[in-house]
Amino acid sequence: MKRAKKQVFREFITAKGLRSTRQRDIILDAFLSADRHISIEELYRKLRAKNPGIGYATVYRTLKLFAESGIARETQFGDGQTRYEHVTAGEHHDHLVCTRCGTIVEFENETIEQLQADVARQHGFRIDTHKLELYGICAKCQR
Amino acid sequence: MKRAKKQVFREFITAKGLRSTRQRDIILDAFLSADRHISIEELYRKLRAKNPGIGYATVYRTLKLFAESGIARETQFGDGQTRYEHVTAGEHHDHLVCTRCGTIVEFENETIEQLQADVARQHGFRIDTHKLELYGICAKCQR
DNA sequence: CCTCTATTGAAAGTAATTTTCACTGTACAG
DNA sequence: CTGTACAGTGAAAATTACTTTCAATAGAGG
Ligand SMILES: [Mn+2]
Ligand SMILES: [Mn+2]
Ligand SMILES: [Zn+2]
Ligand SMILES: [Zn+2]
């Protein structure tokens, strides 16, 4: 899975005429072994522990590349920071977000997806993406 | 409807021990007669035409109060600017957003709402709010 | 090796929003 | 009606998250 994503990114790099660099390898490793919804700040701190030399701007730039290559997706959960999550080709999911502890749970619901498509059709829209997030308090925080 | 919202805001102001000011009245009038999904920048420009004295910070502060009082809702449609939309008590809707021309269409779908509640229940979440936005190209822009 | 450029880190720049602060104005007590 | 306390205001500075600039560096192919 990690291997597959590394492969996808490598091919993306090549196809685009970009270069494989030490920094990109390090950031990719850190990203793939990090939480599924990580902020740049968090990833940066994680990286710096082992690799002091790496610049903030490089992390920003590299995560954009991950998104472009299809191995990551940018998300905004309303806390002011962009998060990047792991994406596996052909998969899609939405999110439950705990506004107390920040826990993010992923879910898939084909019926909802279908109804969204219906709504779009009724209004003549051609949908490219959508965002469905349910915000509340998770089971643990309710206790 | 406008009258009702003005009343709601007036009561909110009183209940909170805040003060009714010329600026708040002007901003409220402008907001209520503006587009249903207006950015602060847009509202500010609209205001300034008739009321030069009003400060940027006051518009920001006042719109937050509108949201707190329940007559407005903050929304983020991914264009980098916060928009405030009119809210009528007891009503809820979601959005279709045209990524080409910026058109925003509102819709309600009780079945989707129900399924969302089911998903939350399955995961033990107590949901406070949710966000469902469908992004794509509107009928007009497709032509 | 060499050369052509893509890439990098640090610092400066942006854009949206928030905070600070000295002054002003509202509302209620007297 | 005042007088006052303190909420509210505008302008400017600050903050935050992110992006761009730029001089130096380093992949990749020849
Ligand atoms: Mn996810
Ligand atoms: Mn709306
Ligand atoms: Zn929680
Ligand atoms: Zn359109």
Side-chain angles (χ1 to χ4, degrees), chain A residues 57-120:
Chain A
T58 300
V59 179
Y60 270 92
R61 289 187 281 233
T62 304
L63 285 182
K64 284 221 177 301
L65 286 180
F66 291 171
E68 211 185 325
S69 76
I71 65 171
R73 178 165 64 141
E74 269 190 7
T75 55
Q76 304 275 160
F77 292 121
D79 64 345
Q81 291 196 205
T82 299
R83 287 172 183 280
Y84 283 83
E85 66 173 328
H86 300 192
V87 167
T88 302
E91 277 183 20
H92 168 76
H93 62 260
D94 294 300
H95 300 100
L96 280 154
V97 181
C98 178
T99 50
R100 185 108 75 206
C101 69
T103 293
I104 297 167
V105 174
E106 305 181 337
F107 70 88
E108 293 176 64
N109 186 303
E110 196 43 56
T111 314
I112 293 179
E113 301 287 329
Q114 202 49 61
L115 289 167
Q116 288 174 9
D118 291 348
V119 167

Side-chain angles (χ1 to χ4, degrees), chain B residues 36-37 73 85 93 95 106:
Chain B
R36 284 188 59 82
H37 308 89
R73 179 165 64 140
E85 68 172 326
H93 61 259
H95 299 101
E106 304 180 338

Side-chain angles (χ1 to χ4, degrees), chain A residues 31-65:
Chain A
F31 175 68
L32 293 179
S33 61
D35 180 76
R36 283 187 60 84
H37 307 89
I38 195 166
S39 72
I40 297 198
E41 174 67 31
E42 287 162 0
L43 185 57
Y44 178 69
R45 271 207 301 276
K46 191 180 146 153
L47 279 173
R48 293 287 292 213
K50 292 273 180 195
N51 306 87
I54 295 187
Y56 223 97
T58 300
V59 179
Y60 270 92
R61 289 187 281 233
T62 304
L63 285 182
K64 284 221 177 301
L65 286 180

